[in-house]
Amino acid sequence: MGKSINAKELIAERYGKEGTKEREKFREDAFSYYFGEIIKNRRKELHMSQEDLADKVGKKRPYISRIENGEDIRLSNFALIANALGLSIELKVE
């Protein structure tokens, strides 16, 4: 049988322990990637091109492309794009 892998240990090994700069950078990059994937998948569900979405939110197509490719997005722009795609944003206190 193969060796089992602990995801938390693997992430700590590759990106540093929780609280380090490296780990925080990894977390931020991961969120940007996830948000980009959500936007891209929803846009495609709606049969919209990047140009269509850009026009709808008053941005340029390359901006939408960068967001979908994991570039960091401002919260105000994320809310604008989410609204244009019929998505809601929910904030919770944990």
Side-chain angles (χ1 to χ4, degrees):
M1 293 193 99
K3 179 182 168 187
S4 65
I5 298 172
N6 180 306
K8 286 184 180 183
E9 290 174 7
L10 180 64
I11 291 171
E13 184 179 308
R14 288 188 183 171
Y15 303 104
K17 294 184 179 190
E18 287 187 38
T20 64
K21 269 186 173 181
E22 296 82 7
R23 183 66 171 267
E24 186 60 23
K25 172 82 169 94
F26 167 73
R27 191 184 69 75
E28 289 173 7
D29 290 347
F31 276 117
S32 294
Y33 171 80
Y34 296 144
F35 292 149
E37 286 296 304
I38 290 167
I39 290 168
K40 179 173 31 180
N41 288 328
R42 179 61 176 159
R43 176 182 60 75
K44 288 181 177 183
E45 283 176 4
L46 297 174
H47 306 287
M48 293 176 74
S49 68
Q50 288 180 340
E51 190 74 38
D52 294 335
L53 179 56
D55 289 344
K56 193 167 185 175
V57 298
K59 302 291 180 187
K60 298 199 180 288
R61 190 211 52 80
Y63 179 71
I64 301 300
S65 177
R66 289 193 311 270
I67 296 306
E68 289 183 358
N69 285 311
E71 186 174 292
D72 195 17
I73 183 172
R74 291 178 49 199
L75 184 57
S76 59
N77 287 332
F78 184 66
L80 185 68
I81 292 168
N83 185 54
L85 295 171
L87 299 170
S88 63
I89 300 170
E90 181 177 331
L91 302 174
K92 292 183 178 183
V93 176
E94 292 185 21

